[in-house]
């Protein structure tokens, strides 16, 4: 691995990010990544965060039109409440702050504690829980569906609403609409390597793949022999459509898990389009790339979000962040 | 607390291996990071009562560990510390009651109960095994270890392991394992000092 020692991986990355992106303010010691112009007057602040290892999420999505702050935790470990509370205080212009939280026990607990801390400091906080992964049955027997690729949609669309000056209630409502309208399904062709462990996090022999993986290298729903890109697209898109049943056009995120080249991802995107076409689902926009990753895991995920005109307009609104940038 | 720190130092690799089976292979590293920070804070601030020690360690775990174990262990100790108040000496029965209150706070925070394959499966039996007087540390240690072992055949209903469904069966819960270490350290310390921990 290209690291010094596991203990400094996150801080080392933040220093490099600061060097490459002077348009961000990066507090390496407290692990808070901020828009340089935060707090932006008369604007709701958007704060997200989660374990590191999913880059560019979340720090790569900080900037005008998306997040005001991101809090990176240790690798695959949620950040601590102090980070989010500090970020909330730094981005609050008096209009309140929305926490975008992926549905994992640790993230939920730490963001809940952070919201209490921030509210003690007089910051109005709303929270939205992203839970889009259809590979997990949402029942009392699990911690609920995982939050994965839809996080990008939530941050972009709610971020655009906030940038336009929408009040906290409206920004929160947009975020909730996006969560309700989005579903994902992921596939791993290899396990990932965490810096602390230095080896694969699960045992996946070459020639086999794991259907229904999350973004922590955790094993998925089912293990199968290797499939073609087209067969994987059939399985992934059908799993999403079984749950989403869109009656409107969709945004499609064809996401790489960190170890899959764009050549393969674009090929996969064409298969995703083919399947959606066969199922009669119109695609309004498609984003292809490694956005919500799992370190060096080979594999991909598909996220679909059913959009109306308003969401589509927010999607097309300008965004200027290290990893997502258009219209400016 | 330093005995707990030493135990986690010693067993970091094992906790991480357990977490590798059902989670993301960092429970040992995370707990070690938190306890190291907590011990530094204890040294620096020198809290004056057992209650203050537990509350401080709890706060430090919340502010340094992250994940689910930070808030859960932090709440366990912070709540127990609050129950003990500011008295300079605490008898074993009060410590037991404080740990029970801490365990109940963990259950509430995680909306979890014994049988979900979590740290509670070691915590609750251990607290009860402390007995009427609260001094049966050896029994608490054994109960925590049995409780941790009992998580092996369970199917996880909480936390990241719950995503594995049936595939979580056959692995010990890492949080139950670290809770067993906590009671083992308590027992060792009690043996070494003849009573108080």
């Amino acid at each position: 691995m290209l690291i010094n020692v596991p203990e400094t991986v996150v801080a080392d990355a933040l220093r490099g990010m600061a060097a490459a992106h002077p348009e961000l303010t990066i507090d390496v010691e407290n692990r808070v990544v901020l828009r340089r112009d935060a707090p932006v007057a008369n604007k709701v602040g958007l704060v997200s965060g989660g374990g590191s290892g999913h880059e560019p999420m979340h720090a790569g999505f900080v900037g005008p039109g998306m997040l005001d702050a991101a809090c990176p935790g240790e690798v695959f470990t949620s950040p601590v409440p102090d980070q989010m509370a500090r970020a909330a205080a730094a981005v609050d212009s008096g209009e309140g702050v929305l926490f975008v939280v992926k549905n994992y026990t640790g993230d939920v607990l730490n963001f809940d504690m952070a919201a209490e801390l921030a509210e003690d400091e007089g910051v109005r906080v709303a929270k939205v829980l992203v839970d889009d992964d259809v590979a997990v049955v949402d029942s009392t027997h699990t911690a609920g569906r995982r939050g994965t690729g839809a996080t990008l949609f939530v941050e972009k669309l709610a971020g655009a609403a906030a940038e336009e000056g929408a009040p906290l209630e409206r920004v929160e409502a947009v975020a909730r609409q996006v969560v309700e309208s989005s579903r994902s399904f992921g596939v791993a062709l290899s396990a990932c390597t965490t810096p602390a462990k230095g080896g694969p996090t699960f045992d996946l022999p070459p020639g086999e793949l794991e259907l229904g993986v999350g973004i922590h290298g955790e094993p998925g729903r089912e293990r199968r022999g290797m499939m073609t890109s087209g067969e994987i697209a059939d399985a992934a898109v059908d799993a999403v459509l079984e749950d989403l049943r869109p009656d409107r056009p969709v945004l499609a995120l064809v996401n790489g898990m960190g170890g899959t080249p764009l050549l393969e991802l674009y090929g996969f995107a064409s298969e995703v389009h083919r399947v959606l076409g066969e199922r009669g689902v119109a695609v309004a926009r498609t984003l292809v790339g490694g956005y919500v990753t799992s370190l060096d895991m080979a594999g991909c995920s598909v996220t679909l979000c059913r959009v109306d005109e308003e969401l589509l307009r927010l999607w097309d609104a300008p965004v200027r962040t290290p990893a997502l940038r258009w219209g400016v | 607390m330093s005995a707990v720190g030493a135990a986690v130092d010693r067993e970091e690799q094992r906790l991480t291996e357990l977490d590798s089976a059902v989670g993301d292979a960092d429970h040992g590293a995370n707990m070690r990071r938190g306890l190291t920070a907590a011990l530094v804070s204890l040294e620096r601030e020198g809290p004056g009562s057992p209650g203050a020690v537990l509350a401080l360690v709890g706060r430090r775990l919340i502010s340094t560990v992250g994940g689910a174990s930070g808030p859960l262990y932090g709440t366990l100790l912070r709540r127990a510390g609050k129950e003990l108040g500011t008295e300079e000496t605490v008898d074993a029965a009060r410590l037991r009651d404080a740990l029970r209150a801490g365990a109940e706070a963990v259950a509430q925070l995680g909306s979890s109960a014994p049988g979900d394959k979590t740290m509670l499966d070691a915590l609750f039996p251990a607290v009860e095994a402390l007995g009427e007087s609260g001094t049966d540390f050896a029994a608490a240690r054994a109960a925590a270890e049995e409780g941790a072992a009992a998580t092996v055949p369970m199917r996880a209903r909480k936390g990241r392991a719950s995503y594995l469904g049936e595939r979580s069966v056959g692995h010990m819960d890492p949080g139950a394992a670290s809770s067993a270490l906590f009671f083992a350290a308590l027992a060792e310390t009690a043996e070494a000092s003849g009573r108080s921990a």
Side-chain angles (χ1 to χ4, degrees):
Chain A
M1 298 182 85
L2 184 61
I3 62 170
N4 291 318
V5 290
E7 288 75 19
T8 63
V9 163
V10 177
D12 292 347
L14 288 177
R15 277 197 300 279
M17 207 175 173
H21 295 284
E23 73 276 19
L24 301 176
T25 301
I26 301 187
D27 179 346
V28 176
E29 183 168 349
N30 294 303
R31 299 198 177 177
V32 178
V33 178
L34 293 164
R35 252 176 96 149
R36 182 157 286 266
D37 55 355
V40 181
N42 305 315
K43 179 189 165 311
V44 167
L46 242 74
V47 174
S48 192
S52 293
H54 306 303
E55 289 69 26
M57 183 172 78
H58 297 272
F61 300 149
V62 174
M66 217 161 165
L67 295 176
D68 293 79
C71 307
E74 287 293 319
V75 172
F76 293 170
T77 300
S78 82
V80 299
D82 311 38
Q83 282 171 268
M84 290 83 117
R86 199 181 284 266
V91 305
D92 182 36
S93 69
E95 297 297 320
V97 171
L98 178 71
F99 284 168
V100 179
V101 187
K102 298 190 298 307
N103 190 29
Y104 297 97
T105 309
D107 292 274
V108 172
L109 294 179
N110 284 287
F111 270 99
D112 278 352
M113 290 187 166
E116 272 182 45
L117 293 176
E119 277 160 2
D120 286 349
E121 302 296 314
V123 180
R124 221 154 39 100
V125 176
K127 283 172 291 185
V128 62
L129 202 60
V130 185
D131 61 344
D132 52 314
D133 184 2
V134 298
V136 177
V137 180
D138 185 19
S139 74
T140 50
H141 299 293
T142 69
R145 285 191 307 251
R146 292 178 287 225
T148 60
T151 316
L152 180 151
F153 289 152
V154 174
E155 292 174 3
K156 171 68 183 80
L157 298 166
E163 200 70 42
E164 288 180 356
L168 182 58
E169 294 67 27
R170 174 69 194 140
V171 176
E172 183 188 355
V174 168
R176 281 189 205 292
Q177 185 189 348
V178 177
V179 170
E180 284 159 17
S181 309
S182 302
R183 294 289 186 273
S184 298
F185 190 84
V187 177
L189 310 182
S190 78
C192 64
T193 312
T194 59
K197 190 155 187 258
T201 51
F202 62 99
D203 172 42
L204 182 56
E208 293 191 14
L209 54 77
E210 186 97 24
L211 290 171
V213 288
I215 53 173
H216 298 99
E218 63 265 56
R221 219 189 221 184
E222 185 191 347
R223 184 164 293 187
R224 297 266 293 269
M226 193 51 73
M227 298 154 75
T228 64
S229 178
E231 288 164 347
I232 294 172
D234 278 311
V237 171
D238 280 340
V240 171
L241 291 182
E242 196 177 312
D243 206 295
L244 191 62
R245 302 180 188 284
D247 46 359
R248 289 208 185 100
V250 294
L251 302 175
L253 169 63
V254 176
N255 177 59
M257 295 292 204
T260 293
L262 270 175
L263 179 75
E264 295 173 33
L265 277 186
Y266 276 120
F268 181 63
S270 82
E271 296 294 344
V272 168
H273 269 243
R274 171 189 57 77
V275 184
L276 286 169
E278 286 169 9
R279 305 289 181 269
V281 177
V283 185
R285 303 284 185 275
T286 305
L287 183 65
V288 180
Y291 289 102
V292 179
T293 63
S294 189
L295 293 169
D296 61 344
M297 188 158 90
C300 54
S301 63
V302 176
T303 304
L304 302 179
C305 174
R306 186 181 58 222
V307 288
D308 54 18
E309 276 177 27
E310 171 70 356
L311 290 187
L312 197 55
R313 189 181 65 74
L314 293 171
W315 180 254
D316 289 337
V319 58
R320 197 166 74 240
T321 71
L324 212 61
R325 179 182 287 252
W326 60 68
V328 286
Chain B
M1 275 331 298
S2 53
V4 176
V8 168
D9 264 352
R10 219 166 40 231
E11 300 282 338
E12 179 191 346
Q13 218 48 41
R14 188 174 72 94
L15 292 177
T16 292
E17 282 300 321
L18 290 173
D19 194 23
S20 174
V22 294
D24 53 7
D26 61 4
H27 185 53
N30 286 347
M31 290 304 289
R32 190 175 61 130
R33 182 175 63 250
L35 285 163
T36 304
L39 292 174
V40 169
S41 293
L42 283 182
E43 186 103 333
R44 190 179 302 147
E45 296 185 28
S49 68
V53 168
L54 293 184
L56 175 61
V57 173
R59 278 203 310 279
R60 286 303 280 158
L61 293 183
I62 291 172
S63 69
T64 55
V65 176
S69 16
L72 293 171
Y73 270 106
T75 294
L76 171 72
L77 297 180
R78 210 162 67 97
R79 180 58 186 277
K82 256 170 94 174
E83 289 288 319
L84 291 180
T86 55
E87 286 163 48
E88 278 175 36
T89 56
V90 168
D91 70 17
R94 289 229 21 224
L95 179 63
R96 178 207 56 214
D97 290 345
L99 288 173
R100 183 184 291 138
E104 279 162 7
V106 170
Q108 197 185 4
L109 181 65
S111 9
S112 181
D116 287 345
K117 193 175 178 115
T118 70
M119 61 193 284
L120 296 178
D121 290 307
L123 274 185
F124 276 121
V127 168
E128 292 320 311
L130 283 168
E132 192 68 22
S133 60
T135 52
D136 288 344
F137 293 109
R141 172 188 192 152
E145 280 161 8
E146 272 172 43
T151 64
V152 172
M154 290 179 188
R155 175 182 169 149
R157 286 197 288 251
K158 292 288 168 183
R160 213 171 275 171
S162 73
Y163 301 131
L164 296 184
E166 283 300 327
R167 291 164 80 179
S168 64
V169 171
H171 301 284
M172 183 184 288
D173 176 65
S178 57
S179 294
L181 285 183
F182 177 87
F183 278 94
L186 199 63
E188 272 167 34
T189 309
E191 270 165 36
S193 69
R195 172 62 60 95
S196 78

